[in-house]
Amino acid sequence: MSPILILFYILSAITLATAFLTIFSRNPIHSAIYLVICFFSIAGHYLLFNAQFLAVVHIIVYSGAIMVLFLFTIMLMNLNKENEVHKPRITRLGAVVVICLMCLTFIAIFTNSKTIVAYDTDVKDFQSIKTLGKVLLNEFMVPFEFASVLLLVAMIGAVLLSKKEKLEK
């Protein structure tokens, strides 16, 4: 076994464990912390794929900005244990059965799938920031701008939702 394969297995185990802990943790702050660890392990996978720029952007955007947004949302919602609605056991059992069936279906699909596109070795190096910038700002300029407008609208909506309304007398 090569060291890269061992590192891949370790990162995969960390990713899966923290993803399950994110879902099954009862404390929302602990779930957010587990999600940050999961994001860092996914960035480790990007490094194994020799995608350094994508790994750094993933850490900055997801582990930084998005998780800060999640934590502010959790604090803003003021989640308390006594206000939490508990689901019946049959609902939780049904959810577990559906998730297991979906996992089995995905495993069957992935094991029986064949490659769609032949692997081409004469492609550009998209790890170069210069090439990535040209592709992003020439070919994908409109979707890039749509994403920025969508994020701006979401930020304005979050600010408007968090403002307290003044009571009129």
Side-chain angles (χ1 to χ4, degrees):
M1 264 191 166
S2 69
I4 293 178
L5 190 60
I6 292 171
L7 186 60
F8 172 77
Y9 286 139
I10 291 171
L11 283 174
S12 298
I14 291 171
T15 303
L16 290 174
T18 55
F20 282 121
L21 286 172
T22 299
I23 295 169
F24 292 122
S25 177
R26 294 197 183 268
N27 188 344
I29 302 295
H30 290 162
S31 291
I33 291 171
Y34 291 136
L35 192 58
V36 168
I37 297 169
C38 185
F39 284 158
F40 273 103
S41 63
I42 290 171
H45 284 287
Y46 288 144
L47 289 175
L48 286 177
F49 285 133
N50 200 19
Q52 294 87 6
F53 178 72
L54 191 58
V56 170
V57 168
H58 181 81
I59 288 173
I60 291 171
V61 172
Y62 287 106
S63 301
I66 300 296
M67 285 314 301
V68 167
L69 181 69
F70 279 1
L71 287 174
F72 280 142
T73 304
I74 289 170
M75 288 182 224
L76 191 69
M77 288 173 37
N78 194 13
L79 298 174
N80 294 324
K81 294 271 185 186
E82 59 268 3
N83 294 340
E84 187 176 328
V85 178
H86 295 288
K87 302 284 185 204
R89 288 183 190 248
I90 190 74
T91 306
R92 288 187 265 167
L93 180 66
V96 169
V97 169
V98 168
I99 286 176
C100 289
L101 288 175
M102 286 176 53
C103 287
L104 288 175
T105 304
F106 285 140
I107 289 171
I109 288 171
F110 289 139
T111 56
N112 295 329
S113 66
K114 296 182 175 114
T115 57
I116 296 172
V117 180
Y119 187 70
D120 188 13
T121 58
D122 296 333
V123 293
K124 293 182 192 176
D125 179 27
F126 285 107
Q127 289 301 311
S128 167
I129 304 295
K130 185 177 180 181
T131 307
L132 188 63
K134 282 182 183 176
V135 169
L136 186 62
L137 296 176
N138 288 335
E139 297 173 26
F140 296 107
M141 182 65 169
V142 175
F144 184 71
E145 289 300 321
F146 280 150
S148 65
V149 169
L150 181 68
L151 288 172
L152 178 67
V153 168
M155 186 171 45
I156 291 171
V159 168
L160 288 177
L161 285 174
S162 67
K163 286 182 83 172
K164 304 260 186 196
E165 293 183 13
K166 293 182 180 179
L167 297 175
E168 295 181 16
K169 291 185 179 180

